[in-house]
DNA sequence: TCAATCACGCACTTTCAGGTAACCACGAAC
DNA sequence: GTTCGTGGTTACCTGAAAGTGCGTGATTGA
């Protein structure tokens, strides 16, 4: 357990990196940054996610102290997900990546086409 | 093909996100940001990566125009990997995440322990 | 009265990330 | 003449990740 080196596979900073290097975490955290949301709202917001993966990822994020789950004990159920301060700081960094992807995906597409055409 | 929305699963911005949401890309790109490196140097720098995954990830990054592979045609082989300008801009954003992981992994560890103890 | 909402849990299946190991070409050094 | 270093490729295999689909139980809207 050294002093935080992601390049060291035995350091648990690596575990942290693998947690945040998940495509769903990269969408959920920035989504919650805008506003706290319920399960169904996240399901609608994040296209292509399954109920299972949403629950699973939220549980992991909650477990690591990034997301706060608040269950008003009502019928029908009403559960809201919020970012913790720690989660908010990570959400900021992740939303930068989201915006990078939105800005540059065409460049990636073009590069891929060029590469694949050369290597016929 | 809409105007760049990572929340839309049919938009290729999502593909871009999945490419950069790889734990190996998250280590390789920041590593190359410091200085151009050879295959063996990356292998040493990035603990726990196998030759196969290194090659595979480098190929994908090259394919998407993020990494430039320059092969001096010598014997024994000498190949160097550099970041393209696009790759450098992504590497900056990713190294922010690396540093986030290195700073906060202890907080995550603690949160996990707390969570797991409650739910006995 | 029928369907849908909400927030899941569970079982089953499929996909794929990733590991291991063997192989390659070439030149230099021993 | 055979062993090493370099930068890979290829085939094979497995375990974990992720998707599919169904159940739940009270409640509200059409």
């Amino acid at each position: 357990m050294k002093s935080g080196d992601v390049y060291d596979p035995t350091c648990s900073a690596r575990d942290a990196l693998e947690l945040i290097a998940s495509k769903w975490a990269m969408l959920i955290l920035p989504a919650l940054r805008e506003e706290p949301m319920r399960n169904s709202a996240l399901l609608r917001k994040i296209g292509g996610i399954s109920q299972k993966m949403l629950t699973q990822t939220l549980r992991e994020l909650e477990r690591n102290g990034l997301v706060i789950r608040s269950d008003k004990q009502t019928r029908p159920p009403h559960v809201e997900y919020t970012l913790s301060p720690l989660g908010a700081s990570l959400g900021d960094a992740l939303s930068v990546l989201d915006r990078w992807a939105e800005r540059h995906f065409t460049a990636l597409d073009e590069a891929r086409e060029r590469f694949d055409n050369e290597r016929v």
Side-chain angles (χ1 to χ4, degrees), chain A:
Chain A
M1 214 180 286
K2 304 223 193 106
S3 61
D5 180 10
V6 284
Y7 292 112
D8 176 3
T10 68
C11 175
S12 69
R14 179 67 73 85
D15 299 339
L17 195 67
E18 289 183 32
L19 174 71
I20 66 190
S22 130
K23 72 174 168 186
W24 298 129
M26 284 210 172
L27 293 169
I28 292 176
L29 290 177
L32 290 178
R33 213 172 59 108
E34 299 171 20
E35 52 176 344
M37 275 184 168
R38 308 177 59 174
N39 177 53
S40 52
L42 284 166
L43 219 46
R44 276 188 298 269
K45 168 111 183 164
I46 301 173
I49 196 171
S50 66
Q51 173 63 64
K52 186 196 162 194
M53 286 317 297
L54 179 58
T55 308
Q56 207 171 96
T57 311
L58 282 173
R59 240 6 42 89
E60 263 311 283
L61 295 175
E62 186 197 359
R63 183 165 173 254
N64 285 272
L66 299 171
V67 157
I68 296 162
R69 179 192 134 101
S70 39
D71 185 345
K72 344 276 186 194
Q73 298 280 353
T74 59
R75 292 264 150 214
H78 183 103
V79 180
E80 214 172 51
Y81 295 97
T82 323
L83 290 185
S84 73
L86 197 61
S89 77
L90 178 56
D92 292 350
L94 289 180
S95 71
V96 170
L97 281 184
D98 287 1
R99 266 180 285 127
W100 190 95
E102 292 180 344
R103 281 210 199 95
H104 300 297
F105 73 96
T106 46
L108 298 188
D109 287 349
E110 286 163 20
R112 239 177 301 138
E113 198 154 346
R114 248 176 290 136
F115 187 91
D116 293 348
N117 284 345
E118 283 172 17
R119 304 258 161 177
V120 177

